[in-house]
Amino acid sequence: ITKIFHEHHKKTMQPKIKTTNPFSGQSIDLTEEEHTLYNAIKMLEADELYEPMQKAIDKFSRLNPKAYRVLVD
């Protein structure tokens, strides 16, 4: 149980980055890892690289389903 507590504590203590959906105006706080992945999704979309974009979206949706619904879905 101590290991579970430490993993949860480590995850919740990460600095958060407020990220806003440019279309809906909704915002959500992301970890650095989630924010990097979200930025990659947006860059891949702009470059019309849809296959790697979809792979990144799949990973993002599993990493943070709520953020996926706010920012991508």
Side-chain angles (χ1 to χ4, degrees), residues 10-19 28-39 60 63-64 67 71:
K10 185 169 67 171
K11 186 176 182 180
T12 58
M13 294 306 295
Q14 294 180 28
K16 300 291 184 166
I17 303 164
K18 183 178 179 180
T19 307
I28 192 162
D29 290 331
L30 301 179
T31 65
E32 186 175 338
E33 177 185 9
E34 294 163 350
H35 188 259
T36 299
L37 187 54
Y38 175 71
N39 283 337
F60 187 76
L63 192 62
N64 188 334
L71 298 172

Side-chain angles (χ1 to χ4, degrees), residues 14-64:
Q14 294 180 28
K16 300 291 184 166
I17 303 164
K18 183 178 179 180
T19 307
T20 303
N21 180 318
F23 303 106
S24 71
Q26 288 184 289
S27 296
I28 192 162
D29 290 331
L30 301 179
T31 65
E32 186 175 338
E33 177 185 9
E34 294 163 350
H35 188 259
T36 299
L37 187 54
Y38 175 71
N39 283 337
I41 291 166
K42 299 308 277 181
M43 287 189 293
L44 290 165
E45 179 182 34
D47 292 341
E48 298 181 3
L49 298 170
Y50 299 116
E51 188 173 322
M53 181 190 79
Q54 190 57 54
K55 288 181 181 181
I57 288 172
D58 290 343
K59 181 177 180 178
F60 187 76
S61 70
R62 289 190 307 276
L63 192 62
N64 188 334

